[in-house]
């Protein structure tokens, strides 16, 4: 059943509830001890289960924010990402979304279409949505609250593809305006989850610094040289996934 008169009221209520949870320090359990959290995974899972008993929208919103987006930062990033993002995530000063699913490929992650092409002249990655099928779809938090996106894309450098990697891409400024090259649309009401702001994102030649690559399992040097401690590309993909 729905207890709110509209989607906007439900979304606003979920965000207020998330602020209460963050103020209580509850989000810290899902993050590693050395990264600013408590590293208590069991507590994090239990809390998510308890949220589901109260409000499924709240559970999904918390799970996407701290579990999917935060989990990507925590598990795929390195110290520079942990220091920059995790403390603000725990306190909810910063919100993000997980941009994996695409319209044409669903959750077949290996077949994602979105490229992240490295430009050694500027030491930036260029994120682009080449076709309608490459649109990032049904992203919890994208429609309203997320300032950043953890974008899963096909990494290309030096004319060679290295498979799917994750890159942090800003999508809104501090005033919540959509950034240049970013097109965001609202998925509107998604069955049973009135309070979740699901959205779609298209990228038009969006440039981000080389350092935005979550580089625990693979990195790109300033000159474009690709390196990874995991030589087998299939094993690397499944490790990151």
């Amino acid at each position: 059943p729905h207890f709110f008169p509209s989607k906007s009221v439900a979304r606003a209520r979920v965000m207020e509830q998330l602020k209460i949870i963050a103020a209580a320090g509850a989000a810290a359990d899902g993050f590693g001890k050395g990264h600013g959290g408590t590293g208590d995974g069991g507590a994090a899972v239990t809390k998510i289960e308890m949220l589901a008993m109260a409000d499924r929208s709240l559970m999904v919103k918390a799970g996407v924010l701290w579990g999917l987006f935060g989990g990507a930062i925590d598990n795929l990033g390195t110290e520079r990402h942990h220091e920059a993002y995790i403390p603000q995530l725990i306190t909810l000063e910063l919100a993000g979304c997980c941009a994996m699913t695409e319209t044409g490929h669903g959750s077949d992650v290996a077949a994602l279409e979105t490229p992240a092409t490295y430009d050694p002249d500027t030491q930036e990655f260029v994120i682009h949505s080449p076709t309608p099928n490459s649109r990032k779809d049904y992203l919890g938090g994208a429609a309203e609250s997320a300032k950043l996106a953890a974008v899963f894309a096909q990494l290309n450098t030096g004319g060679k593809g290295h498979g799917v990697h994750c890159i942090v891409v800003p999508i809104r400024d501090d005033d919540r305006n959509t950034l240049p090259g970013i097109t965001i649309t609202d998925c509107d009401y998604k069955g049973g989850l009135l309070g979740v702001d699901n959205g779609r994102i298209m990228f038009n030649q969006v440039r981000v610094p080389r350092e935005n690559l979550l580089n625990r399992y693979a990195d790109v040097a300033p000159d474009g040289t690709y390196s990874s401690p995991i030589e087998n590309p299939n094993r690397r993909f499944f490790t990151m996934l």
Side-chain angles (χ1 to χ4, degrees):
H2 297 307
F3 304 103
F4 306 102
S6 69
K7 174 185 69 179
S8 59
V9 171
R11 289 179 176 182
R13 168 126 178 138
V14 165
M15 281 305 298
E16 290 304 311
Q17 291 172 322
L18 282 176
K19 291 175 184 177
I20 294 170
I21 293 168
D29 291 324
F31 297 95
K33 279 186 177 181
H35 307 161
T38 67
D40 192 344
V45 171
T46 300
K47 287 173 181 177
I48 284 289
E49 291 178 345
M50 295 302 101
L51 292 182
M53 296 182 70
D55 183 339
R56 295 293 172 87
S57 288
L58 180 59
M59 179 272 288
V60 168
K61 185 81 170 174
V64 168
L65 174 62
W66 291 313
L68 294 181
F69 177 77
I73 301 294
D74 195 42
N75 293 291
L76 300 181
T78 52
E79 186 176 359
R80 69 187 185 219
H81 308 108
H82 301 152
E83 291 180 350
Y85 304 124
I86 290 179
Q88 294 183 73
L89 270 172
I90 290 174
T91 59
L92 205 56
E93 296 172 69
L94 178 68
C97 62
C98 184
M100 179 183 286
T101 302
E102 292 181 0
T103 303
H105 304 89
S107 293
D108 180 6
V109 183
L112 295 182
E113 219 177 307
T114 302
T117 306
Y118 185 68
D119 180 356
D121 292 335
T122 60
Q123 296 187 31
E124 295 172 315
F125 285 101
V126 182
I127 316 296
H128 187 60
S129 303
T131 70
N133 278 344
S134 67
R135 177 182 66 180
K136 296 295 185 180
D137 218 338
Y138 272 123
L139 316 177
E144 293 182 10
S145 58
K147 185 179 176 183
L148 301 172
V151 178
F152 287 79
Q154 302 284 353
L155 190 150
N156 299 295
T157 179
K160 184 178 179 181
H162 297 281
V164 175
H165 293 64
C166 189
I167 300 176
V168 178
V169 180
I171 59 174
R172 289 186 174 91
D173 62 20
D174 291 336
D175 296 321
R176 311 219 61 77
N177 299 309
T178 304
L179 292 172
I182 305 287
T183 300
I184 299 175
T185 53
D186 198 322
C187 292
D188 204 50
Y189 171 53
K190 183 178 180 181
L193 300 172
L194 194 64
V196 180
D197 54 320
N198 288 285
R200 304 180 176 99
I201 304 178
M202 293 284 284
F203 303 96
N204 184 12
Q205 305 293 339
V206 175
R207 289 177 171 267
V208 298
R210 178 182 66 89
E211 292 80 8
N212 284 31
L213 173 67
L214 297 180
N215 62 330
R216 179 178 177 184
Y217 295 112
D219 207 352
V220 173
D223 66 358
T225 302
Y226 178 86
S227 63
S228 173
I230 306 174
E231 291 186 11
N232 184 291
N234 289 330
R235 182 164 170 258
R236 185 168 59 241
F237 169 74
F238 285 110
T239 300
M240 288 194 286
L241 194 61

